[in-house]
Amino acid sequence: MHASTRTARTAGLFYLGNAITGVLGFLIVRPQIFAADDANATLANLVAHESLARAGVALELGMVVTQTLAAVWFYRLFRTVDRSAASGIAAFGLVNTIVGLVSAALLATTVAVSVDPVGDAAANVQVLYLVSDSLWGVGALFFGLWLVPMGWCVLRSGWMPRVLGWILVGGGVGYVLSAFIRYLAPDAQVVAEALAYPASVGEFWMIGYLLIRGVRRQALDEAPPTVHPPTPVAS
């Protein structure tokens, strides 16, 4: 088996871009616009911070682009390890991009409604934001599912630490469970968030490892040729 360090680092770069756009969009921009318990405040924020809201749409689109490219490059990286698992990474990653694409369309519509109101503008933009939130909530299923085959490929390849592989697998399972807990036990949100923490640890470790180390060279190098002792010459 062989994997290019360049391919590994390119996958890590796209994965980093996905993380950056996600953090900026969800932790920085969205809280400044969306007021979960006040539709009028959400509309007022959209009107007062239109440029920021448009940046939020652009960040969601950035997540779509970087997630798509990361899925393709992870397939390229791991296809020689386990083609089925690598295909799973790509397929589940591409489902994530569909979630992001629909969410971006919803956020773009909130901006349009705030500029040119339709019906009860406050109620409409609030519902659109709530649907966007729910999309990402149910999308956690595939955020987790894409980590499980990724962790499996790490374990099979020997190109990264085995602990990282197990954290990715466990984190992926935890992410899937968190999606169910979020809706089956709404009062247990702390548990749902805790189940997602290992996935975050594994993802950022994977990003850092790919960018800094690439892959373990000793796992890639072919075995040295066997050296046979010289055949004695008969006198």
Side-chain angles (χ1 to χ4, degrees):
M1 291 184 295
H2 178 74
S4 166
T5 297
R6 178 180 297 178
T7 300
R9 287 182 172 151
T10 302
L13 186 62
F14 290 139
Y15 209 175
L16 177 63
N18 186 239
I20 291 173
T21 51
V23 168
L24 290 177
F26 279 95
L27 300 184
I28 305 298
V29 174
R30 190 174 289 237
Q32 296 185 57
I33 303 294
F34 178 48
D37 55 355
D38 191 338
N40 290 317
T42 299
L43 179 59
N45 290 336
L46 281 165
V47 172
H49 307 292
E50 181 183 338
S51 296
L52 185 64
R54 291 184 183 279
V57 177
L59 287 168
E60 297 250 334
L61 292 175
M63 280 191 285
V64 170
V65 172
T66 52
Q67 175 72 79
T68 300
L69 293 172
V72 171
W73 255 259
F74 271 116
Y75 173 77
R76 292 183 62 188
L77 177 65
F78 287 126
R79 62 187 173 182
T80 58
V81 176
D82 187 323
R83 188 173 291 273
S84 295
S87 297
I89 298 173
F92 297 147
L94 291 176
V95 172
N96 293 340
T97 68
I98 295 172
V99 170
L101 201 61
V102 176
S103 177
L106 293 171
L107 296 189
T109 306
T110 66
V111 176
V113 171
S114 70
V115 173
D116 187 10
V118 176
D120 186 340
N124 288 336
V125 298
Q126 193 74 353
V127 169
L128 290 168
Y129 261 102
L130 289 171
V131 175
S132 172
D133 265 7
S134 292
L135 267 173
W136 288 114
V138 299
L141 288 173
F142 283 91
F143 305 152
L145 288 175
W146 112 296
L147 294 179
V148 173
M150 185 186 299
W152 172 253
C153 286
V154 169
L155 293 170
R156 283 288 304 274
S157 67
W159 295 337
M160 296 94 176
R162 289 186 63 81
V163 174
L164 172 56
W166 287 117
I167 289 176
L168 288 170
V169 172
V173 172
Y175 228 137
V176 171
L177 292 176
S178 73
F180 285 96
I181 291 174
R182 176 174 179 173
Y183 298 105
L184 291 175
D187 294 330
Q189 293 307 298
V190 173
V191 176
E193 291 177 3
L195 285 170
Y197 288 151
S200 298
V201 171
E203 287 186 290
F204 281 104
W205 186 358
M206 185 67 160
I207 290 169
Y209 198 92
L210 289 172
L211 290 176
I212 297 170
R213 185 73 180 270
V215 286
R216 282 177 173 166
R217 297 308 309 171
Q218 64 268 30
L220 305 179
D221 295 338
E222 297 179 354
T226 303
V227 177
H228 298 285
T231 302
V233 179
S235 56

